[in-house]
Amino acid sequence: MNPIQAGSFLTLHYRLTGPDGADIVNTFDDKPATLSLGAGQLAPAIEARLIGLPEGAHETFQLAAGEAFGERNPELLQRVKLTLLRQLGDPDEVYSVGDVVQFPGPDGQGGYAGVVRELGDESLLFDFNHPLAGQPVSFEVQVIGVL
């Protein structure tokens, strides 16, 4: 039996649920996931729980509020002017509270998302925190293979 270690290549089923018990990600009803431990595909706190598990293990871990995705950071609530949003995206876009908007990264590579929290006449308030920041989560895993 190969135990999981840093850098292991894994095949697994997993389920991540939020504080209300609703599935956020669930691979148990579909194909298993494949990933490389340490490549940033899972939160570091979740990866740490996987270290040492053998092939065939089926475990569920409870992660305290903020442990998996960090605490909420009030500095990640930011106002963005509508004029800038129109320059970066569709000038005719109509925004609503709860919309997720993709922003380009400063270097043109990748990007990041913000959730509209408040509408204003000249700007919108965006929340750039991870949606699960400050929330307790549950992580269930079934390890299928370890390389």
Side-chain angles (χ1 to χ4, degrees), residues 5 8 11-12 15 32 41 61 67 70 72-73 78 83 85 94 104 115 117 121 141 145 147:
Q5 48 193 307
S8 289
T11 301
L12 46 77
R15 174 181 296 121
Q41 294 165 291
F61 304 105
E67 186 178 0
R72 292 193 55 74
N73 181 347
Q78 297 185 4
T83 53
L85 289 169
V94 176
V115 177
R117 294 292 181 214
D121 291 336
V141 63
L147 292 176

Side-chain angles (χ1 to χ4, degrees), residues 75-144:
E75 292 180 15
L76 294 178
L77 291 172
Q78 297 185 4
R79 294 202 173 276
V80 178
K81 291 187 180 279
L82 282 168
T83 53
L84 179 61
L85 289 169
R86 290 192 170 94
Q87 286 174 357
L88 294 175
D90 181 351
D92 299 319
E93 182 74 35
V94 176
Y95 299 96
S96 301
V97 171
D99 286 352
V100 177
V101 177
Q102 294 292 327
F103 290 83
D107 59 1
Q109 301 294 316
Y112 53 99
V115 177
V116 177
R117 294 292 181 214
E118 185 180 290
L119 304 172
D121 291 336
E122 295 182 19
S123 65
L124 304 179
L125 180 64
F126 281 92
D127 185 347
F128 293 103
N129 283 286
H130 187 284
L132 292 172
Q135 303 283 326
V137 296
S138 177
F139 184 79
E140 177 185 3
V141 63
Q142 180 182 9
V143 181
I144 298 168

Side-chain angles (χ1 to χ4, degrees), residues 1-108:
M1 290 280 195
N2 276 343
I4 297 173
Q5 48 193 307
S8 289
F9 187 74
L10 308 176
T11 301
L12 46 77
H13 276 297
Y14 71 96
R15 174 181 296 121
L16 179 68
T17 60
D20 60 0
D23 285 352
I24 296 159
V25 177
N26 183 350
T27 69
F28 283 93
D29 297 329
D30 201 8
K31 294 183 216 170
T34 56
L35 55 93
S36 179
L37 204 67
Q41 294 165 291
L42 295 173
I46 292 172
E47 288 191 354
R49 295 285 192 344
L50 297 177
I51 299 289
L53 291 180
E55 288 181 356
H58 191 158
E59 302 281 339
T60 301
F61 304 105
Q62 305 302 319
L63 291 100
E67 186 178 0
F69 298 100
E71 295 297 335
R72 292 193 55 74
N73 181 347
E75 292 180 15
L76 294 178
L77 291 172
Q78 297 185 4
R79 294 202 173 276
V80 178
K81 291 187 180 279
L82 282 168
T83 53
L84 179 61
L85 289 169
R86 290 192 170 94
Q87 286 174 357
L88 294 175
D90 181 351
D92 299 319
E93 182 74 35
V94 176
Y95 299 96
S96 301
V97 171
D99 286 352
V100 177
V101 177
Q102 294 292 327
F103 290 83
D107 59 1

